[in-house]
Structure formats: C-alpha cells, structure tokens
Amino acid sequence: MSDTKEAKVKVNADVPIPSDTEIRKEMEQLMQTVNLETMSTKQFIATLSEKFNGADLSSKKKYIKATITEIIDSMQDSDDESSEEEDSSSEEEEEEMEVVVPKKRKQGGGGLSAVKEISQELADFLGSGRQMARTDIVKAMWAYIKDNELQNPDDRRQILLDDRMKAVFGVDQFTVSSIL
C-alpha cells in the first residue's frame, strides 16, 4: 500500500480485536518500516489493521494514537542517548553521520493549546521546561499572581509586578489582557 494514497481497508468483523499488548508490539515493528512524515494516522491504523487480518481497530483508535506518540517519544529519547555517546567521537565522524529523527505527531491541540518553545527566562520563572502551551503558561502565571497577591486591589485587571516578574517582563505593571 502506498503511504500517499487514501487508506482503505476491508474490515473483517469475524476477526477478533487484538489485545493492547499485541497492538503495541506490532506498532513498534511497523513504525520502524513506515515513513512517519508522510503517513497519516488513518493510513497507519489501516496498515495496522491489515497486519491483524483486517480486524476492526476503530474502537482502539485513541489507544493507537496515544501509543504512536509514546513510541515516537521513546525513539527520540534513544536517539538523544545515542547522540550523547556520539558527542565524544571525533568531529570528522560527526560530519559523516546524519541522524534523521521522525517528526513528533501532535495530538490535536492547535492555537492556544499548541506547545511552543518559550524563553529561558520565562521557563526559569515558571520552573518548567523550554516548551509549554500558552494555556499552561497563563495558568502558571495566574497561580503565581494570586499566591503573591499581585493584583491591584483598586483595579483587579492590573498586575503589579514583583522583582522576579520585572526581570522577566521588563515593566513595573501590566494589564492581564495586554501581556497574557
């Protein structure tokens, strides 16, 4: 089956649905052979269904999507570990080697819930990693503002920054809608 064409599978209702363990094992093998950058989730599920003699995997769709993400994460983690070992090799070897890391498929979430890279200063302030969704940043900021009572009592839309926040934002005060 070509990965660029629409995924069509004849579902066989008589074939029992495989267990999660069986599905994951087959997925791990399949992900080593398919091009994850061009194959859609729907096409991947169709190919996986073919591996199980046409079993109807529609009831396992959420599990399969979550497992795809887990497997890709583990593949990237193992690539990170191997690249740390490669760092000790000579520069000539590094120039010859090219590591192709599959793109991580996002599960839904665009717009405000999309995970983006944030500044190191903001990450240090929030006590988080360098990637966060805007919604998570806003929640963390509100928690900090409320814990430290930084809202102006006369106009609760105004936030009076403490020294930590001034270092990150470079202003003495702001309104919630102007900065968040």
Side-chain angles (χ1 to χ4, degrees), residues 49-164:
S49 177
E50 288 177 4
K51 297 284 185 180
F52 289 108
N53 299 320
D56 182 8
L57 300 177
S58 59
S59 63
K60 298 284 189 174
K61 188 174 182 180
K62 284 184 181 180
Y63 171 77
I64 293 170
K65 285 183 176 184
T67 305
I68 288 172
T69 303
E70 288 175 16
I71 294 171
I72 290 173
D73 286 345
S74 69
M75 290 168 65
Q76 288 176 335
D77 289 344
S78 66
D79 286 346
D80 290 344
E81 289 172 9
S82 66
S83 67
E84 288 175 9
E85 294 170 6
E86 290 172 3
D87 288 344
S88 62
S89 64
S90 72
E91 290 181 25
E92 292 174 9
E93 290 176 351
E94 288 179 21
E95 289 176 8
E96 292 177 352
M97 288 196 248
E98 234 183 284
V99 178
V100 178
V101 179
K103 287 186 181 178
K104 184 175 181 181
R105 293 195 182 257
K106 295 179 182 175
Q107 271 190 321
L112 297 178
S113 62
V115 176
K116 301 286 183 177
E117 188 166 334
I118 61 175
S119 69
Q120 186 62 49
E121 294 82 13
L122 184 58
D124 292 343
F125 174 77
L126 297 174
S128 67
R130 288 288 310 266
Q131 294 192 350
M132 284 183 79
R134 189 173 189 181
T135 53
D136 294 334
I137 295 169
V138 172
K139 286 178 191 175
M141 292 292 297
W142 269 117
Y144 183 85
I145 290 166
K146 289 180 180 181
D147 289 346
N148 293 290
E149 299 177 2
L150 298 176
Q151 282 183 286
N152 183 344
D154 298 328
D155 184 358
R156 305 213 23 100
R157 294 174 295 170
Q158 282 187 333
I159 308 302
L160 307 171
L161 281 64
D162 63 3
D163 292 336
R164 282 188 66 205

